[in-house]
Amino acid sequence: MTGLLGLGIVVDLLALWQGIQLYELVGRLVRNSGSVTSQEIDQTDSLYQASGILQVAATLATAVVFILWFHRARVNAEVFAPEYHEKARGWAIWGWFVPVVNLWFPRRVAIDIWNASADESTGSRALLNWWWALWVANLLFGRLAGQRYAKAGTPDEIKGAIAGLMASDVLSVLAAVLAVLFVRRLTRMQHEKALRGPAL
C-alpha cells in the first residue's frame, strides 16, 4: 500500500517538474524573450501530457489498493469495537464513489476505524484530519485547475492554468505523504491492538 502511495508521489513530482518546464516555456512565449520553436512547444507539451497519463494510471492503481485496505481496516475495527461505527461496513467502499457524499463519508468511517483501533496512548486524530483536508482540497482544486487548462486558449490563460495544475500537484504530494503516515500509523495501531487480545 505505502509502496503505491510512494510511486504516486514520484509520478506527481515528475508531473510537477514537467509543469515547470512548460510554464517557463509559455512564459518565454508571453514575454517574447528568445525564440520558441513549435517543435520545442510540441515536445514539452507531449511530455507534460504523458506525465498526466502516468498520474491517472498511478492514481487508479493506488485508489483500488487503498480502498481494499480501508475496507479491511474497517472490518478489523468492527471486531475490536463494534459499538464505535456510525456507518455500515459497505460505506468503507461506496463512500468513495457517491458524489458529494464522498467529501465526508470516508472521513467519518476513518474516524470510527481510528477510535475503535486506538488506545489511551494513541493521541489525537490530527494526522487523519490533515490528510483528509489536503485530499479534499486537492480533489476540488485539481478539478477546477483541469477545467481551466482544458478551456485555456491564449498563452496567458495557458500559463495561469499550468500554475493551477502545479499547485494541485503540490497538494497531491502533501496529501500522499500524509496518507502514507496515516496508513502506517493505523496499521500499527490495529496490529498492536490485535496482539493485546480482547480486553478483560
Side-chain angles (χ1 to χ4, degrees):
M1 176 71 261
T2 56
L4 275 175
L5 286 166
L7 175 63
I9 291 170
V10 171
V11 173
D12 283 339
L13 290 172
L14 172 64
L16 181 60
W17 171 254
Q18 293 298 335
I20 291 170
Q21 303 307 306
L22 187 57
Y23 183 85
E24 291 177 350
L25 187 65
V26 175
R28 282 167 50 199
L29 192 62
V30 169
R31 294 188 306 269
N32 198 22
S33 58
S35 60
V36 178
T37 66
S38 59
Q39 181 181 2
E40 191 177 7
I41 292 173
D42 289 343
Q43 182 179 9
T44 307
D45 185 58
S46 294
L47 289 172
Y48 189 54
Q49 297 297 333
S51 68
I53 292 170
L54 286 175
Q55 278 183 302
V56 171
T59 298
L60 288 175
T62 304
V64 170
V65 176
F66 183 89
I67 291 172
L68 291 174
W69 169 84
F70 192 70
H71 183 262
R72 182 73 253 172
R74 169 63 175 79
V75 172
N76 293 343
E78 190 172 331
V79 173
F80 297 144
E83 71 277 10
Y84 279 20
H85 305 282
E86 292 185 10
K87 306 296 179 192
R89 185 185 293 182
W91 284 112
I93 294 176
W94 297 113
W96 298 93
F97 298 102
V98 179
V100 182
V101 164
N102 63 359
L103 297 178
W104 78 88
F105 265 39
R107 178 182 176 272
R108 179 66 259 174
V109 174
I111 288 172
D112 293 342
I113 295 170
W114 186 279
N115 290 340
S117 306
D119 58 28
E120 294 180 0
S121 64
T122 300
S124 73
R125 294 190 305 259
L127 174 61
L128 187 161
N129 290 329
W130 276 108
W131 158 63
W132 187 254
L134 284 171
W135 186 83
V136 170
N138 177 55
L139 182 71
L140 298 176
F141 192 80
R143 186 168 297 172
L144 291 173
Q147 291 172 354
R148 185 180 176 193
Y149 184 73
K151 294 176 181 177
T154 67
D156 277 322
E157 290 175 345
I158 293 171
K159 186 180 177 185
I162 293 169
L165 289 171
M166 288 192 298
S168 175
D169 290 335
V170 170
L171 286 173
S172 181
V173 168
L174 294 174
V177 168
L178 291 184
V180 169
L181 297 176
F182 169 70
V183 168
R184 294 183 66 170
R185 177 84 173 274
L186 187 56
T187 300
R188 186 174 70 250
M189 286 164 53
Q190 291 199 336
H191 179 69
E192 290 172 354
K193 193 153 191 173
L195 289 177
R196 285 194 299 272
L200 300 178

